[in-house]
């Protein structure tokens, strides 16, 4: 099909592009309290994207789950998740292997007891800072495909950003085995464009 995007297609980075890294935090990685299966595999790939953006002096944003110790999503409070990403804890720190530039704009979410915080846009600072940076096209990757990536992409599309989904740099929790695949299908169906690192030049 002539119109179908192939992995050989190239994407030229330009101004109005921003990289948005979702929740690359110790608790979502191997040994963490809510480790995403194969989550660590996204780190070297994201470092490749970071390099491309830094080389062009394009902005990098990183969200982080930043919960109080009595967050409503924790099983102890009747929620679905083990305790994870408690503000200022080791588990909430960004992975040391992730090469975040010093200029990274950090967006905390899930900071109130009742705020679910799956989407980076629950913190209004994200939209404000993206607008300050004149970002129109967001390259989104990270953890987890079926929660925070999905909800951030939904909101980004609702806010009329163009979204490029980094399909080689996302991993799913897969509480049910099909959740990650379903999430990817939904994001693409809503307008996100799936890309891989080799497509960037
Ligand atoms: C996430 C579950 C709970 C995520 C955050 O980052 O996808 N998932 N909190
Ligand atoms: Zn959380």
């Amino acid at each position: 099909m002539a119109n179908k995007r192939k992995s050989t297609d190239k994407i030229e980075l330009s101004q109005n592009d921003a990289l948005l890294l979702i929740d690359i935090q110790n608790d979502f990685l191997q040994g963490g309290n809510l480790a995403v299966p194969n989550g660590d595999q996204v780190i070297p790939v994201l470092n490749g994207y970071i390099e491309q953006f830094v080389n062009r002096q394009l902005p990098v944003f990183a969200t982080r789950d930043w919960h109080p110790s009595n967050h409503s999503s924790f099983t102890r409070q009747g929620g679905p998740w083990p305790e994870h990403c408690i503000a200022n804890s080791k588990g909430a720190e960004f992975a040391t292997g992730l090469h975040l530039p010093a200029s990274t704009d950090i967006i905390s979410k899930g900071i109130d007891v009742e705020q679910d915080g799956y989407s980076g846009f629950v913190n209004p600072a994200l939209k404000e800072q993206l607008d300050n940076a004149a970002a129109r096209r967001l390259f989104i990757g990270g953890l987890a495909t079926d929660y925070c990536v999905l909800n951030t992409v939904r909101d980004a599309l609702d806010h009329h950003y163009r979204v490029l989904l980094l399909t080689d740099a996302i991993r799913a929790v897969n509480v049910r085995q099909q959740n990650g695949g379903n999430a990817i299908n939904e994001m693409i169906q809503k307008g996100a464009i799936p890309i891989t690192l080799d497509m960037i030049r």
Side-chain angles (χ1 to χ4, degrees):
M1 262 186 295
N3 236 347
K4 187 131 193 239
R5 192 170 275 277
K6 303 185 301 292
S7 63
T8 51
D9 290 348
K10 291 290 178 189
I11 292 162
E12 190 106 43
L13 290 182
S14 60
Q15 45 179 354
N16 311 113
D17 287 341
L19 180 61
L20 179 49
L21 309 173
I22 308 297
D23 297 8
I24 308 300
Q25 296 168 270
N26 291 328
D27 270 339
F28 295 124
L29 299 166
Q30 195 169 18
N33 286 348
L34 183 41
V36 177
N38 303 311
D40 295 66
Q41 293 172 359
V42 305
I43 293 175
V45 187
L46 289 175
N47 284 337
Y49 285 104
I50 290 169
E51 189 182 341
Q52 296 289 331
F53 276 70
V54 168
N55 283 346
R56 292 171 181 78
Q57 298 179 22
L58 291 168
V60 177
F61 292 78
T63 67
R64 64 182 181 190
D65 229 19
W66 200 249
H67 296 316
S69 58
N70 61 341
H71 191 254
S72 54
S73 77
F74 297 165
T75 46
R76 197 201 291 269
Q77 325 296 326
W81 305 116
E83 295 187 7
H84 64 277
C85 297
I86 292 173
N88 298 302
S89 70
K90 191 84 193 163
E93 289 176 12
F94 290 118
T96 50
L98 186 69
H99 301 160
L100 289 176
S103 58
T104 301
D105 211 319
I106 296 170
I107 305 293
S108 302
K109 62 187 179 54
I111 55 182
D112 299 326
V113 171
E114 297 296 338
Q115 183 186 63
D116 86 29
Y118 288 147
S119 167
F121 288 95
V122 299
N123 183 341
L126 177 55
K127 176 126 196 329
E128 286 164 18
Q129 299 302 325
L130 289 170
D131 290 346
N132 283 347
R136 294 305 314 146
R137 193 165 69 157
L138 309 184
F139 291 64
I140 302 180
L143 303 171
T145 309
D146 38 359
Y147 293 95
C148 288
V149 172
L150 173 63
N151 283 277
T152 301
V153 166
R154 281 177 180 156
D155 283 350
L157 291 167
D158 286 345
H159 285 304
H160 302 290
Y161 295 99
R162 275 180 290 153
V163 173
L164 281 71
L165 179 66
L166 314 182
T167 55
D168 51 352
I170 55 177
R171 292 293 183 278
V173 178
N174 284 335
V175 170
R176 296 165 61 117
Q177 159 211 293
Q178 65 273 33
N179 287 1
N182 287 347
I184 292 172
N185 290 342
E186 178 188 327
M187 290 186 274
I188 292 171
Q189 184 269 325
K190 285 190 155 80
I193 295 170
I195 71 160
T196 51
L197 180 59
D198 57 290
M199 293 165 66
I200 294 194
R201 64 166 168 207

